[in-house]
Amino acid sequence: MEYRKFGPTDITVSALGFGCYDAAGGGYGDKMAAAVQRAVDLGITCFDTAAGYGNGESELMLGKALGPRRKDAVVVTKCGVNYAGRPKGRDSRRESILASVDQSLKRLQTDYIDVMLVHLPDVNTPFDETMDALDAAVRQGKVRAVGVFCFTLQQLKECEKTRRVDVTQYIYHMFDRRMEREIFPYCRQLGIGVMAHASMGFGILAGAYSEDNEFGENDFRATGVNPDMVVGIYDKDAFQRNVRLVNELKRIAEDRGKTMPQIALRWVLSHPAISVALVGTLNTQQLEENIGVLDWALSAEDMRRIDEVFARYGVDTNPPM
């Protein structure tokens, strides 16, 4: 297993992280619980969840699955979303943050949270109030480190005025490299830990889609919800092109004796700002494949070939924010 420093904290974390988003619904809970146990066996320490994933269902699954092995895990969770009556459902006021910490502790069956992230910015609450509340949770011994999820650079800087941001989490994958412009250099400058999520580009980089693939009517990839999040990957006029692009990337993977998901994850881990690459894991079979991303590196030639494929297909991997 590869381990990396988690920002300015004294926490060491596995480079490969276990994403628990899919535990919220879909009937994967039992299989994922078995995968959590196997992940700990293999040395994976980072488990990422959120109170907003299934209204706490994901936290409940993770807490139960870890059980007495909690001490072997670095648990990252999030707070501040899914509040009816608040703009965009976000609430990062002091009382909300502190209440969320206690609720997450209970669901996770633990007396401390390793990292608590604010799950999207609440622009209707001063960031100094939010960061002061998180700092209070640290002083109370309930949280070890704090951070933010998908904040802009300016919002990140505003948070830093009140309390050090230890860890951040952003979308980062081959199709979406926007964070390389400003966020990653800033995090490296200050030593902030970075978690990358959506490492598979919301599925396309797993290499399992065909050009005629159809998504369910409620699937955000088909509905156009959150277009900024998926940066046009699944647009009707771009999807077939992108599938062909990934099929070319598979040849690079084959040349290295790797799978497409392993190449996609290794690419994310190649950036020096990244502490953890998260991947959603539904069962032990997927977990075993993901482990193949460790203990090797993409060469300069591999990186050149990857960039050439994207250039040849005319994909803008760094669109305007």
Side-chain angles (χ1 to χ4, degrees):
M1 182 58 61
E2 296 177 36
Y3 296 97
R4 299 184 178 187
K5 193 172 182 292
F6 216 9
T9 72
D10 61 356
I11 302 171
T12 300
V13 69
S14 57
L16 184 63
F18 191 114
C20 298
Y21 176 85
D22 290 309
Y28 299 119
D30 291 342
K31 292 181 179 179
M32 288 185 70
V36 166
Q37 287 289 317
R38 180 60 179 149
V40 177
D41 291 340
L42 293 169
I44 291 176
T45 62
C46 184
F47 296 86
D48 179 79
T49 182
Y53 295 165
N55 292 319
E57 185 179 350
S58 176
E59 288 184 326
L60 286 167
M61 183 283 298
L62 180 59
K64 181 179 179 181
L66 286 173
R69 307 183 79 178
R70 165 69 181 93
K71 64 183 184 302
D72 299 319
V74 174
V75 174
V76 180
T77 192
K78 311 175 192 73
C79 61
V81 301
N82 289 3
Y83 287 86
R86 290 283 294 177
K88 294 186 176 181
R90 302 175 189 178
D91 188 351
S92 293
R93 292 174 293 181
R94 180 182 180 86
E95 61 270 25
S96 173
I97 294 290
L98 295 178
S100 292
V101 169
D102 289 338
Q103 291 159 8
S104 289
L105 287 170
K106 184 176 181 179
R107 285 190 292 263
L108 288 162
Q109 302 178 33
T110 185
D111 57 2
Y112 69 96
I113 292 165
D114 294 287
V115 183
M116 175 63 85
L117 304 179
V118 180
H119 202 167
L120 298 170
D122 171 13
V123 298
N124 295 287
T125 299
F127 291 135
D128 60 348
E129 178 179 342
T130 302
M131 297 306 293
D132 185 67
L134 289 171
D135 193 56
V138 173
R139 295 194 304 270
Q140 293 167 3
K142 297 177 180 180
V143 174
R144 296 177 67 190
V146 304
V148 297
F149 177 99
C150 290
F151 276 44
T152 67
L153 178 61
Q154 186 57 44
Q155 290 167 342
L156 190 54
K157 289 180 176 179
E158 285 296 316
C159 291
E160 285 273 348
K161 292 178 181 179
T162 301
R163 203 270 185 200
R164 182 186 73 192
V165 174
D166 301 310
V167 176
T168 59
Q169 190 175 138
Y170 291 97
I171 293 171
Y172 184 58
H173 52 78
M174 289 185 192
F175 279 95
D176 188 351
R177 310 181 191 187
R178 293 173 294 172
M179 297 305 113
E180 294 177 357
R181 285 207 298 265
E182 296 180 330
I183 294 292
F184 287 177
Y186 181 79
C187 289
R188 291 193 70 194
Q189 178 185 350
L190 273 67
I192 299 171
V194 178
M195 304 177 73
H197 75 276
S199 302
M200 298 296 179
F202 302 100
I204 194 165
L205 286 165
Y209 294 153
S210 62
E211 291 185 42
D212 59 356
N213 197 94
E214 293 186 4
F215 300 100
E217 60 181 12
N218 294 322
D219 192 310
F220 73 93
R221 286 164 293 195
T223 61
V225 175
N226 295 321
D228 183 62
M229 185 170 71
V230 294
V231 292
I233 297 172
Y234 297 93
D235 289 353
K236 190 173 182 179
D237 58 348
F239 177 69
Q240 292 182 338
R241 175 204 64 186
N242 293 337
V243 170
R244 292 193 295 272
L245 183 157
V246 172
N247 286 337
E248 288 205 30
L249 294 178
K250 287 180 183 178
R251 298 172 192 167
I252 301 174
E254 290 167 359
D255 289 346
R256 292 300 307 269
K258 302 295 180 180
T259 66
M260 188 59 228
Q262 289 168 351
I263 287 287
L265 281 168
R266 190 72 244 179
W267 183 91
V268 170
L269 287 170
S270 296
H271 197 287
I274 300 297
S275 299
V276 179
L278 292 170
V279 60
T281 306
L282 301 178
N283 52 55
T284 54
Q285 181 180 356
Q286 286 186 350
L287 175 66
E288 299 287 350
E289 179 177 352
N290 294 340
I291 289 295
V293 72
L294 302 172
D295 299 323
W296 60 282
L298 287 166
S299 68
E301 175 64 12
D302 293 330
M303 299 295 274
R304 183 192 65 78
R305 290 177 66 190
I306 289 169
D307 287 343
E308 280 188 351
V309 172
F310 277 87
R312 186 161 61 252
Y313 279 84
V315 176
D316 183 4
T317 60
N318 203 343
M321 297 288 282

